Amino acid sequence: MIDPRRLRILRAVADHRTVTAAASALYLTPSAVSQQLNALEQETGHTLLIRGGKGAALTAAGEILLGHTHAVLAQLERAEAELAAYAQGAAGEVTVAAFATGIAEVVAPAIVRLAGERPGIGVRVRDAEGDESLPLVLDGEADLAVAVEYRGAPGADDRRLSRVPLYAEPFDAVLRADHPLAAAERVELARLAGSDWIGPYPGNPCHDMVLLACELAGFQPRLVHQSDDFRAVVALAGAGAGVALVPRSALRGMELNGAVVRSVSGPAATRRVFAAVRRGAEEHPLIRPVLDALAATASGLSADTAPTA
């Protein structure tokens, strides 16, 4: 009989690529993870991992077992959800990992909605960049993620996660008020090809989106200044240090300090935001109301809202 706890460890190693990283995510020691993997190999009668200096890779047998692991763990999540429903699930806490703007746009309003509709459900929020929240859910450190599409993100068909689309929003151009293009209602990105640029660091999902938008406009942006804080980005643009693309919701209510915001004409970057839970947990009586509250809050958002003046 295969111990499902060892299947969780196998999946963590597959996700994190090394025994050490998987151990850290699971709050175990590397030796404990290795022992559990050795026991799993004895249970199955197959070598599941090839361990090397650059990490651990699944064998063909390991890949087969990993495919079944996704189904087994999803079914266990469903079993927990049904048992919780049987126990009524009237009260409890859900941990939500979300990026800062997502917290402001949908998580905080959803908490207000839940307080009125399901006062027994508490929400604990963890601030996590758009590419950090999904690993937290997969590792069991969060119940629900509010994340953005990014290069390398688990797709909608990923067997480990269930996703609910929330909203999409464009990126707007941010320029100094006396910039030659500041008087235009809409800005063509190609006309900013020769400018210095301000943008997020590599690894931030918005970094890839900015690069893609500029690539579609026919150029590579000259990123001179970098910050993951959009307030800093806007302040630098207002100081004339360069131009930037910023998600529209991040600009809402922000002091522009000498900058102006303009819509982008032609193909533009779009940030797509979704909620995700471990597959099988979407009907958990504590998690389902939070998903519904997030979706209801997001339905009131409009990507077509005009940019900040």
Side-chain angles (χ1 to χ4, degrees):
M1 181 70 69
I2 297 175
D3 188 334
R5 292 173 297 180
R6 292 171 182 149
L7 295 180
R8 293 186 188 277
I9 291 174
L10 178 70
R11 187 163 80 175
V13 173
D15 286 343
H16 293 280
R17 307 291 185 181
T18 70
V19 169
T20 301
S24 177
L26 297 173
Y27 297 99
L28 297 172
T29 64
S31 62
V33 168
S34 294
Q35 290 171 8
Q36 292 298 315
L37 291 172
N38 289 336
L40 183 59
E41 290 181 328
Q42 292 176 6
E43 288 175 342
T44 61
H46 292 279
T47 299
L48 303 174
L49 290 172
I50 299 174
R51 299 166 177 83
K54 294 185 178 180
L58 293 182
T59 63
E63 292 287 357
I64 292 172
L65 184 58
L66 181 64
H68 289 287
T69 292
H70 297 324
V72 169
L73 296 183
Q75 191 60 41
L76 287 174
E77 292 281 358
R78 293 187 187 98
E80 291 181 2
E82 288 187 20
L83 287 171
Y86 177 76
Q88 299 303 314
E93 186 174 80
V94 176
T95 299
V96 177
F99 59 102
T101 310
I103 292 172
E105 290 295 302
V106 291
V107 177
I111 290 174
V112 174
R113 179 183 289 269
L114 285 166
E117 298 176 355
R118 297 293 300 271
I121 298 178
V123 176
R124 181 186 296 272
V125 179
R126 289 189 59 168
D127 190 335
E129 286 295 337
D131 58 341
E132 296 174 349
S133 56
L134 296 179
L136 291 175
V137 168
L138 289 172
D139 290 338
E141 295 186 52
D143 301 303
L144 188 153
V146 174
V148 300
E149 295 284 4
Y150 61 92
R151 187 178 302 171
D157 59 348
D158 191 291
R159 296 172 64 187
R160 300 169 297 171
L161 295 167
S162 290
R163 304 189 348 168
V164 176
L166 294 179
Y167 64 94
E169 61 175 334
F171 281 58
D172 290 319
V174 182
L175 318 166
R176 183 175 168 86
D178 60 2
H179 190 281
L181 297 179
E185 290 186 7
R186 301 176 68 85
V187 173
E188 294 182 24
L189 282 187
R191 298 186 64 185
L192 299 174
S195 301
D196 289 342
W197 279 73
I198 312 154
Y201 285 102
N204 186 317
C206 291
H207 176 87
D208 287 343
M209 295 177 195
V210 170
L211 293 186
L212 178 60
C214 293
E215 183 179 318
L216 291 174
F219 69 97
Q220 291 287 330
R222 186 170 62 248
L223 281 169
V224 176
H225 310 284
Q226 293 184 297
S227 173
D228 288 332
D229 186 333
F230 289 123
R231 290 170 300 179
V233 170
V234 170
L236 287 169
V243 300
L245 287 176
V246 176
R248 184 166 292 174
S249 64
L251 294 165
R252 195 167 295 132
M254 187 183 296
E255 177 61 50
L256 295 180
N257 294 319
V260 296
V261 179
R262 296 292 180 259
S263 299
V264 176
S265 61
T270 300
R271 180 159 73 170
R272 303 187 186 281
V273 181
F274 61 92
V277 300
R278 291 182 296 278
R279 189 171 293 274
E282 58 271 18
E283 295 305 326
H284 191 287
L286 295 178
I287 293 175
R288 181 78 257 172
V290 179
L291 281 172
D292 290 342
L294 290 169
T297 300
S299 68
L301 299 177
S302 172
D304 297 326
T305 302
T308 303

